[in-house]
Amino acid sequence: MNCRHCGHGLEKTFLDLGSAPPSNAYLDRAGLEKPETWFPLRLLVCGRCWLVQTADHAGRELLFSDDYAYFSSFSSSWLAHARGYVAAMTERFNLASDSCVVEVAANDGYLLRYVQERGIDCYGIEPTHSTAEAARAIGIEIVEEFFGVALARELVAAGRSADLMAANNVLAHVPDINDFVAGFATLLKQAGVATFEFPHLLRMMAENQFDTAYHEHFSYLSLLAVEAIFAANGLQVFDVEQLATHGGSLRIFAQRQGGPHAVTANVAAVRADEQAAGLATFAPYAAFQKAAEQVKTDFLRYLLDARATGLRVGAYGAAAKGNTLLNYAGVRPDLLPYVVDRNPAKAGRFMPGSRIPIVGEDHLRADRPDRIVILPWNLTDEVIQQLAYAREWGVRFVTAVPELIER
């Protein structure tokens, strides 16, 4: 396999999690009677541009299907993050009613609703039908296609160029990252700005967040790699913010080459952090596998011990990262009988691979487990607050990543 960005041959493995089905391929009851398709889940690192990427096995149409079940609006903290983003961007870039804001991967309208509330013209680009329909239901205009240069050119020709483009947690999800980024350079107005948020590879490595590896994530991104990709496709990074979201993310600000914004000191600071961590050498990448294996061993031992001592264990959050952990550790319903989720698109279905039932929160109240494993560890505080009533029966909350902790 060659690098998705620069074409260099890939030889170094960053992480090998065996195999798994697509992490958002939730099963209905009829699906339990059918075989699942599993793909190798192996991450490689390019020694030329330092882009970490999954080995090619599954295409985007398979992974982002019409019944895609991830809806952003079910997280109150993520809605608050989106509201804050819109307020900050409106002020910083003087957005007004005659501006145009475009979100790529608009999902269910979780962000553009706040743009629309301010009277700013906007539309979203979202290829998954289920989430696109949810956005339309709240009055958001959606272009239901995958984004790239061809679509960007069509939109420019239709007079839909953007003053601000937002791309939250999607840059990692595109197989043709060059075409995707070049699409932003095409659709932006001459002085327009694009922001990209994505989990920071540096935080993934430092905090052992191996469960953020799944097939829908084609890339695992550092500023080092992103600057190279952007420069090759008509964009310049001029600012970067470090965020707490998703276990530690970057928000990259980019403009067309030759744009009006000066490069801030923040860019040099993050570059220095990555250089100090050795991200332009193979050494730190080679150490990641062992840390993932330790989490797997500790989590499996914990569930086995709980079963042996008669503790009842449930889980909360049918998240993609949870599917990575469960399938890598080989956990099945005998060790973890159910996962609770508030999203009605998931309740009543089954986790891919592990086939653990997904149930509503009423099941949790009825079962009163001794331990609740929080699979989306990045939302731990939010989940503990939401399930505070479970403390009445003495529950302890458990997270497995970056290390096993009971709270």
Side-chain angles (χ1 to χ4, degrees):
M1 176 178 167
N2 295 327
C3 175
R4 287 191 176 89
H5 165 57
C6 71
H8 186 64
L10 298 177
E11 299 176 357
K12 299 289 186 179
T13 297
F14 172 56
L15 180 67
D16 190 342
L17 298 180
S19 62
S23 61
N24 281 299
Y26 296 92
L27 303 169
D28 57 19
R29 191 163 295 279
L32 297 179
E33 305 301 320
K34 302 174 183 178
E36 291 179 78
T37 302
W38 289 52
F39 300 95
L41 185 50
R42 187 163 67 102
L43 277 56
L44 308 168
V45 58
C46 176
R48 177 183 291 167
C49 70
W50 302 104
L51 178 64
V52 173
Q53 51 208 283
T54 54
D56 280 325
H57 292 289
R60 65 184 185 181
E61 287 77 13
L62 172 67
L63 300 175
F64 302 103
S65 59
D66 286 347
D67 60 351
Y68 189 66
Y70 180 79
F71 290 76
S72 298
S73 293
F74 283 97
S75 170
S76 57
S77 63
W78 189 242
L79 287 176
H81 177 77
R83 185 187 298 110
Y85 167 87
V86 172
M89 297 305 106
T90 300
E91 180 177 358
R92 180 171 180 179
F93 299 114
N94 300 311
L95 301 177
S97 58
D98 59 348
S99 303
C100 180
V101 175
V102 178
E103 184 181 17
V104 178
N107 199 262
D108 59 5
Y110 75 99
L111 185 146
L112 290 179
R113 65 175 66 189
Y114 301 116
V115 177
Q116 198 170 65
E117 282 178 3
R118 290 173 175 267
I120 301 171
D121 183 38
C122 64
Y123 65 94
I125 299 169
E126 173 54 59
T128 63
H129 182 69
S130 54
T131 57
E133 285 294 282
R136 292 186 181 112
I138 61 171
I140 305 296
E141 179 188 353
I142 296 293
V143 177
E144 195 172 319
E145 295 184 39
F146 286 102
F147 183 71
V149 171
L151 177 58
R153 287 172 177 164
E154 290 178 18
L155 293 168
V156 170
R160 308 302 304 276
S161 296
D163 295 282
L164 174 69
M165 296 183 70
N168 290 344
N169 301 307
V170 63
L171 187 59
H173 288 73
V174 293
D176 189 345
I177 198 165
N178 290 321
D179 179 65
F180 185 78
V181 170
F184 284 78
T186 302
L187 188 54
L188 280 177
K189 294 180 182 178
Q190 190 60 45
V193 171
T195 68
F196 301 78
E197 293 183 22
F198 51 82
H200 191 189
L201 177 65
L202 185 60
R203 297 271 65 81
M204 178 186 182
M205 297 169 71
E207 298 169 24
N208 196 19
Q209 300 168 3
F210 75 91
D211 58 342
T212 60
Y214 37 95
H215 299 102
E216 290 92 330
H217 281 174
F218 291 92
S219 302
Y220 303 79
L221 299 160
S222 61
L223 179 61
L224 173 68
V226 166
E227 284 201 283
I229 294 166
F230 281 21
N233 290 287
L235 291 182
Q236 177 194 26
V237 174
F238 68 85
D239 196 8
V240 57
E241 296 176 357
Q242 300 188 64
L243 309 174
T245 53
H246 295 285
S249 297
L250 295 182
R251 176 185 289 159
I252 300 291
F253 294 77
Q255 60 189 343
R256 295 173 69 173
Q257 294 286 1
H261 298 282
V263 178
T264 72
N266 295 336
V267 178
V270 176
R271 281 186 197 139
D273 288 344
E274 293 186 351
Q275 184 176 11
L279 294 196
T281 68
F282 281 119
Y285 300 97
F288 195 58
Q289 180 73 35
K290 185 175 181 180
E293 291 170 357
Q294 186 64 55
V295 170
K296 167 186 174 179
T297 300
D298 291 347
F299 182 52
L300 191 54
R301 183 182 293 115
Y302 179 86
L303 294 177
L304 289 167
D305 289 346
R307 181 180 180 184
T309 56
L311 291 175
R312 294 194 320 281
V313 182
Y316 187 93
K321 56 174 58 71
N323 289 322
T324 295
L325 174 64
L326 296 175
N327 286 317
Y328 181 47
V331 175
R332 298 295 181 264
D334 59 327
L335 294 180
L336 196 64
Y338 60 86
V339 177
V340 175
D341 202 280
R342 299 177 73 184
N343 184 347
K346 294 181 181 179
R349 302 175 81 177
F350 299 81
M351 304 284 271
S354 67
R355 302 192 166 201
I356 296 171
I358 304 171
V359 299
E361 201 170 322
D362 57 337
H363 186 96
L364 188 74
R365 294 177 184 271
D367 186 56
R368 297 166 67 94
D370 301 295
R371 302 289 185 268
I372 298 174
V373 178
I374 300 174
L375 295 174
W377 45 260
N378 55 300
L379 301 177
T380 294
D381 291 342
E382 178 181 336
V383 172
I384 289 177
Q385 182 177 8
Q386 178 188 323
L387 303 182
Y389 60 83
R391 295 291 194 189
E392 296 174 6
W393 67 74
V395 80
R396 300 289 298 275
F397 294 97
V398 181
T399 50
V401 178
E403 60 184 351
L404 200 134
I405 299 174
E406 274 193 358
R407 296 169 171 83

